Amino acid sequence: MSSAIANSIQLLMEVSSIISKVIEFNEKVFGIEQRNGIVRIKIHRDVLPYVAQKLATTKGIYMRTMMASDERDLEGVYRLYYLFGIDREHINIVLEVAVPQEDPKVPTIVDIIKAADWYELEAHDMLGIEFIDRRLYRLVLPEDWPEKVYPLRKEYSVQDLMKLYRPKAVEYAKEIGAENIVVIPIGPYHPALHEPEFFEVYVSGERVIDAKYVGFMVHRGIEKLGENMKYDQVPFLAERICGICGFVHSTSYCQAVESALNTDVPERAQFIRSIILEIERIHSHLLWFGVALHLLGYDTGFMHSWRIREQVMVLAELLTGSRKTYGINVVGGVRRDIDNDKIRKAIEVLKNVEDEFKKLVEISINIPQVIARLKGTGVLPLGEAIALSLVGPTARGSGLDRDVRRDYPYAAYRYISFRVPTYSEGDNLARTLVRVDEVFESINMLYQLLDKVPSGEIRVESWTVEPYRLGVGSVEAPRGEVIHVLLTGRYSPYRWRVRAPTYQNLPAVSIMLKGVDLADVPLTIASIDPCFSCTDRAIVIDIGRSVIKTIPIEFLSLKGSKAIR
Amino acid sequence: MAFIETISIGISMLLYIFFPPLLDGIERKIKAKIQTRYGPPTVFQTWYDIIKLISKELKIPPTLQYGVFLLTLAFSFVIVVLYLLSYIPVSLNIYMLTIVIILIVSLHSILAFVSILSSNPFSIIGIFRGLTIDIVNEMGFLTSILVYYLTIKTFNPSIKSFLLLLFSLLFVFIVSYVGSKRLPYDLHEAEPELASGSVIEFSGPILALYLYLHLIDRYTMVALPIAIGVAIGLQLSPLISLLLIHVIAVVIYVFFGVIAVLLGRSRIDIAVKTLMLIYLIIILLWIVVKLI
């Protein structure tokens, strides 16, 4: 009890020290409010760079995400929410900046906080907010997107946007005289990760001099879709953001809503969420480990890693009913319970996975080519990791000790003890070892969680919506922290902002790539465990009728297989 | 030439022609077993692949027009090499051996040259990687065959001779392994980095021909030292010699396949340094023992 009081006092001191830094700006600070570990500070746009500077130069504070929202219906302004975190105190500081609709301009903070770069570009693309004193270019929207159409503005519905813009595939097909073509929008290619990504790598001999990333080829407009769905429908959409770690998104979304509405989630549900989250981390890291070994040419390790992973997938199916995309999260709890028989089976599987993975790691890491190509390649210094506000194993591999499970405890993590593996070397080997250690740590956490599952309800009976409340939900995904920031609406989220860890980590890849050998490029890119988009679709164009049909790529694949038979 | 010798050479040539894709099928099966996969449905899969590729339409990229001619030339060289290899147990001398070595090195150069014709950057990077390793390995190949030939020719039952034989065998088979372009030295293709590298522009019959030549080359690189050893060291009848050569070659080929499964892919700088160091050490050891 006494430690809780001491913590609260320390927290208050920390908050007041932050506020004292901000309060200097006096008449430009419109209000400060504190609730549920979130300190909301409303400031005038003119002082944003100065306040950001104050926060950025305070040790232990980093920019976690930024949400731009169209609130013209409410207060006649656009609003920017800059979310900063103080890990050691478990506090989020939200700087709220109102941007008048008649003059949507705001000073940039990129020169102060490098991590703000993509957020500002995205806000410019999606809401038309001008950031002063920086170069603005399209990041998210395609090149041929109509001018002055900002998809996240409330006047555009999803249907309007679909009428306003379709890829000009038919016109192009006619132009090239194709009668019947199949367009596979996998974009610029590379066989390494089997996802749409494009790195322009400039090499001298085989040495990389510079690298440029071009992304956002499959922007699915999920945030906009979520604004038209009921609160309990969104978790199913959120889970489809990622094909590997979707559960972190539904959990993060639910936590954001629960935090905004002050909903108490039953302890049993919190344990179930943590259990599934850790299972997801194990299978994701095993997948990554296999891919990394494949990129190093050690396919035997790749196959065995995925063989071991298969047991974890079967375990996930046992506990949730699905190998992936579990669909058990709802606001206020979970939809599916686990019983003692499942707990017993889960422990058996985990013991087996632990033994087999230990053997695999011992063998793989000692393969001469594997160790030679991991060690000292793709180095990311700690300073860069801090400047870019990196997260997850990418940050921890450079010595930046940051983990949401410990720093902003959620679900059942406050009830168990665990270690956060950190390595200071910053190379590909360090990032690999962080993930390897995390697999064993997750197994250890699962033993504790499965042992301590309390009895009781798994979801709250009902909850009521209070509109225009701000909620933050963050979860430590296998790739780093996922943050969902949400402004509640009456029936649906008014604004829902999703920030996946790859968004934060990708800018670091160019730094890692400089000076590496071409042979190590795929591995270095993979070392942040990037997750782009996993839901590509093929478009079949019927020129005669000017119709575009979207069909799953698997269908084409099956068709191809049948043709061969 | 005696009837039995002619028959032996004929059978041996047929085996040299038929075995490589079959052995590749066996290697793929073993590899799959080690990796807990099913692998290809049958050990004849590589043969089926080649036959299927041959049946595809012929697409020649503009820059590869002369490549077809070069591949055909390479195929002629291969036939001559196979004939000479089959002839070694019947009669072996240093001149014939020299011709075999020249033909094999020429074959490697022609295969490399085909890829250089491509303007694809992956192909160019891949083939230059291949050439870099080849420069080291071809020198190793010439030296190892010479050292091995001398060792067998001067072999007598003494510890010194056994040591020399051991070093020369080690040398010749390491060279043979590297020449087979298996992991960790498949840098010319390196799928995750170069998307098939030097063979990226080959398809259909051209890919089939390249693949077939590559597999025969792999097998001959294994069989050559065995043929020399059996011909000089054992002096059996030609038919038995030829069968023995193929049996040992098959065993070593499969053994190479197993080694490859257990290794990762090297990097060009590491690969060159490692090979030069290994070859230098073996040569020095051989010279030291020889001089003692």
Side-chain angles (χ1 to χ4, degrees):
Chain A
M1 189 65 187
S2 59
S3 72
I5 293 168
N7 283 344
S8 301
I9 292 168
Q10 200 183 352
L11 189 144
L12 282 170
M13 283 169 65
E14 191 68 39
V15 172
S16 54
S17 108
I18 299 294
I19 289 170
S20 66
K21 284 180 178 170
V22 173
I23 216 83
E24 290 173 25
F25 301 102
N26 217 336
E27 73 280 5
K28 301 278 186 180
V29 177
F30 304 131
I32 298 171
E33 183 189 307
Q34 192 200 334
R35 194 173 64 87
N36 286 349
I38 303 175
V39 181
R40 296 174 68 174
I41 305 172
K42 293 184 181 178
I43 57 169
H44 191 276
R45 57 179 166 170
D46 292 348
V47 295
L48 173 66
Y50 307 105
V51 178
Q53 175 88 48
K54 289 275 177 196
L55 293 178
T57 49
T58 307
K59 202 179 167 201
I61 297 186
Y62 73 105
M63 185 178 157
R64 299 181 77 194
T65 185
M66 189 267 265
M67 174 172 86
S69 170
D70 177 3
E71 296 177 13
R72 287 173 298 162
D73 298 350
L74 310 176
E75 294 178 40
V77 293
Y78 300 106
R79 199 179 295 279
L80 304 177
Y81 297 83
Y82 292 86
L83 186 77
F84 291 84
I86 319 176
D87 288 348
R88 63 182 186 282
E89 304 303 337
H90 321 321
I91 299 174
N92 284 308
I93 297 169
V94 181
L95 292 184
E96 293 184 23
V97 181
V99 185
Q101 57 176 317
E102 61 279 4
D103 178 30
K105 287 180 183 161
V106 70
T108 181
I109 57 165
V110 167
D111 45 349
I112 302 161
I113 300 166
K114 269 164 104 177
D117 188 23
W118 282 10
Y119 294 103
E120 290 188 354
L121 292 172
E122 196 180 344
H124 175 248
D125 270 8
M126 307 303 271
L127 279 161
I129 293 168
E130 298 281 332
F131 289 87
I132 305 163
D133 295 332
R134 67 157 294 166
R135 190 172 77 86
L136 290 167
Y137 55 90
R138 278 200 173 156
L139 178 76
V140 177
L141 296 176
E143 279 176 20
D144 56 346
W145 184 268
E147 289 294 324
K148 306 284 178 199
V149 174
Y150 302 106
L152 279 183
R153 286 191 178 176
K154 295 290 178 190
E155 62 260 35
Y156 297 110
S157 67
V158 174
Q159 288 72 24
D160 290 340
L161 292 170
M162 286 172 75
K163 280 180 206 155
L164 275 166
Y165 177 77
R166 293 295 285 177
K168 293 192 171 56
V170 174
E171 291 80 353
Y172 183 66
K174 280 179 180 165
E175 202 182 295
I176 59 170
E179 286 182 1
N180 199 358
I181 59 165
V182 174
V183 179
I184 314 287
I186 321 179
Y189 60 91
H190 198 285
L193 285 168
H194 317 285
E195 284 196 83
E197 56 176 323
F198 179 47
F199 284 91
E200 233 168 45
V201 180
Y202 300 88
V203 292
S204 168
E206 287 222 20
R207 186 76 58 185
V208 177
I209 306 298
D210 203 357
K212 210 162 66 182
Y213 170 72
V214 184
F216 298 95
M217 286 151 205
V218 191
H219 194 279
R220 290 172 286 167
I222 275 182
E223 292 176 8
K224 185 85 178 173
L225 287 173
E227 290 173 14
N228 296 302
M229 295 173 103
K230 301 267 179 274
Y231 280 100
D232 262 345
Q233 289 177 313
V234 179
F236 299 96
L237 176 66
E239 205 148 323
R240 279 152 181 82
I241 290 171
C242 180
I244 300 169
C245 56
F247 195 72
V248 298
H249 284 284
S250 62
T251 307
S252 197
Y253 163 79
C254 290
Q255 285 179 179
V257 180
E258 287 152 7
S259 131
L261 304 178
N262 258 340
T263 310
D264 284 327
V265 179
E267 257 187 24
R268 189 173 176 84
Q270 293 187 7
F271 269 77
I272 293 172
R273 278 183 182 169
S274 285
I275 288 168
I276 305 303
L277 285 168
E278 289 314 306
I279 285 174
E280 204 167 60
R281 187 180 324 281
I282 295 171
H283 82 63
S284 176
H285 281 352
L286 286 171
L287 181 143
W288 180 86
F289 193 64
V291 170
L293 293 176
H294 167 64
L295 295 175
L296 290 167
Y298 183 49
D299 282 345
T300 303
F302 162 46
M303 297 293 167
H304 282 284
S305 187
W306 281 39
R307 178 183 56 76
I308 297 167
R309 177 178 182 259
E310 186 58 25
Q311 300 172 49
V312 187
M313 303 306 284
V314 174
L315 174 62
E317 190 177 7
L318 174 81
L319 297 181
T320 68
S322 305
R323 287 164 61 87
K324 262 303 302 140
T325 319
Y326 314 119
I328 66 166
N329 258 330
V330 284
V331 175
V334 291
R335 295 164 63 227
R336 197 178 164 110
D337 206 350
I338 56 175
D339 58 27
N340 287 336
D341 191 38
K342 286 177 181 170
I343 289 175
R344 187 182 51 76
K345 281 182 186 159
I347 290 170
E348 275 173 28
V349 172
L350 289 171
K351 279 185 178 149
N352 203 29
V353 169
E354 190 177 9
D355 291 344
E356 291 200 26
F357 188 59
K358 202 175 277 175
K359 279 181 208 153
L360 176 67
V361 171
E362 275 169 20
I363 294 167
S364 308
I365 296 291
N366 288 312
I367 298 288
Q369 294 80 24
V370 171
I371 191 77
R373 292 184 58 188
L374 284 174
K375 201 169 184 180
T377 55
V379 175
L380 181 78
L382 174 63
E384 293 287 356
I386 293 171
L388 291 167
S389 292
L390 300 191
V391 293
T394 310
R396 294 193 283 275
S398 292
L400 184 54
D401 188 7
R402 178 175 287 164
D403 190 319
V404 180
R405 292 172 296 178
R406 181 200 56 204
D407 302 331
Y408 302 86
Y410 57 93
Y413 292 108
R414 64 187 63 118
Y415 304 115
I416 55 170
S417 62
F418 60 93
R419 175 178 83 82
V420 177
T422 308
Y423 287 80
S424 58
E425 290 80 359
D427 57 3
N428 287 328
L429 181 64
R431 291 186 282 277
T432 305
L433 292 176
V434 166
R435 291 191 180 91
V436 166
D437 288 359
E438 280 185 11
V439 169
F440 294 116
E441 203 55 44
S442 289
I443 292 173
N444 176 38
M445 289 159 86
L446 278 167
Y447 287 147
Q448 295 180 56
L449 288 163
L450 290 165
D451 185 47
K452 291 179 182 171
V453 179
S455 56
E457 296 298 315
I458 57 166
R459 62 190 290 187
V460 290
E461 285 294 315
S462 63
W463 43 275
T464 45
V465 177
E466 209 176 319
Y468 315 121
R469 302 293 296 269
L470 185 76
V472 176
S474 53
V475 169
E476 186 68 26
R479 290 156 187 78
E481 65 179 42
V482 158
I483 303 183
H484 287 222
V485 184
L486 184 128
L487 199 63
T488 55
R490 198 163 296 280
Y491 305 107
S492 312
Y494 183 83
R495 173 79 173 95
W496 171 40
R497 167 70 179 158
V498 179
R499 205 274 282 139
T502 302
Y503 191 93
Q504 202 85 344
N505 289 339
L506 260 175
V509 174
S510 303
I511 298 165
M512 293 176 191
L513 286 178
K514 277 179 196 162
V516 307
D517 266 61
L518 183 62
D520 294 327
V521 168
L523 176 76
T524 305
I525 295 170
S527 74
I528 68 158
D529 195 3
C531 188
F532 302 92
S533 169
C534 314
T535 52
D536 289 320
R537 294 288 184 271
I539 303 174
V540 175
I541 303 162
D542 186 335
I543 294 290
R545 289 184 292 164
S546 290
V547 174
I548 298 177
K549 272 191 296 179
T550 303
I551 57 167
I553 208 161
E554 292 82 358
F555 180 77
L556 283 181
S557 169
L558 285 173
K559 215 171 143 189
S561 307
K562 279 176 193 160
I564 292 166
R565 280 186 212 130
Chain B
M1 200 187 303
F3 176 72
I4 193 81
E5 288 167 356
T6 314
I7 292 289
S8 304
I9 292 169
I11 292 171
S12 178
M13 279 193 73
L14 285 176
L15 291 178
Y16 275 121
I17 287 168
F18 179 70
F19 265 2
L22 176 70
L23 287 172
D24 189 60
I26 294 170
E27 186 180 332
R28 284 166 71 182
K29 271 301 228 190
I30 293 170
K31 191 174 167 183
K33 195 81 184 160
I34 295 172
Q35 294 177 343
T36 63
R37 292 186 288 117
Y38 286 110
T42 151
V43 291
F44 293 103
Q45 190 59 46
T46 307
W47 263 120
Y48 295 152
D49 291 347
I50 290 171
I51 292 164
K52 171 137 191 182
L53 283 168
I54 287 170
S55 70
K56 294 276 186 184
E57 70 274 32
L58 182 66
K59 291 273 183 194
I60 307 172
T63 49
L64 274 184
Q65 281 176 10
Y66 300 108
V68 181
F69 163 73
L70 289 171
L71 283 173
T72 318
L73 183 67
F75 192 73
S76 312
F77 276 31
V78 160
I79 297 296
V80 180
V81 169
L82 296 188
Y83 172 75
L84 292 175
L85 272 178
S86 304
Y87 193 76
I88 283 176
V90 179
S91 165
L92 174 66
N93 57 52
I94 191 73
Y95 305 110
M96 199 177 98
L97 197 59
T98 309
I99 293 171
V100 173
I101 290 169
I102 290 169
L103 283 172
I104 289 178
V105 174
S106 308
L107 180 66
H108 293 168
S109 305
I110 292 171
L111 289 179
F113 196 58
V114 176
S115 298
I116 287 176
L117 290 174
S118 166
S119 56
N120 186 301
F122 289 127
S123 180
I124 301 290
I125 293 172
I127 199 57
F128 274 96
R129 282 182 180 184
L131 281 173
T132 312
I133 292 186
D134 274 355
I135 288 168
V136 180
N137 205 50
E138 301 290 84
M139 285 194 293
F141 176 57
L142 299 176
T143 321
S144 70
I145 293 289
L146 186 71
V147 165
Y148 179 63
Y149 184 76
L150 278 174
T151 309
I152 297 177
K153 273 283 185 191
T154 56
F155 185 79
N156 56 57
S158 66
I159 294 172
K160 183 179 168 179
S161 267
F162 274 113
L163 274 175
L164 289 173
L165 184 65
L166 179 72
F167 291 139
S168 60
L169 273 174
L170 202 63
F171 193 9
V172 85
F173 282 116
I174 290 175
V175 167
S176 165
Y177 182 86
V178 177
S180 74
K181 295 188 182 348
R182 287 184 175 89
L183 277 167
Y185 301 108
D186 65 338
L187 298 173
H188 64 301
E189 285 185 31
E191 189 265 337
E193 300 149 31
L194 300 180
S196 300
S198 60
V199 296
I200 194 168
E201 291 212 314
F202 299 167
S203 66
I206 295 179
L207 181 60
L209 188 55
Y210 175 86
L211 182 66
Y212 189 36
L213 288 171
H214 172 59
L215 291 174
I216 292 179
D217 179 46
R218 250 188 196 180
Y219 189 56
T220 52
M221 288 290 281
V222 175
L224 177 64
I226 301 166
I228 297 168
V230 170
I232 302 172
L234 299 181
Q235 293 179 342
L236 303 166
S237 76
L239 188 60
I240 295 172
S241 292
L242 286 168
L243 291 175
L244 191 63
I245 289 165
H246 283 290
V247 170
I248 300 171
V250 166
V251 172
I252 292 176
Y253 190 100
V254 171
F255 177 64
F256 280 2
V258 173
I259 292 175
V261 185
L262 306 176
L263 297 172
R265 184 171 297 109
S266 189
R267 210 172 52 204
I268 190 69
D269 54 334
I270 302 173
V272 171
K273 277 181 208 160
T274 314
L275 285 179
M276 288 180 85
L277 188 69
I278 292 173
Y279 293 168
L280 201 67
I281 290 172
I282 295 177
I283 293 169
L284 284 175
L285 282 173
W286 190 87
I287 292 171
V288 169
V289 175
K290 187 80 180 166
L291 294 178
I292 291 171

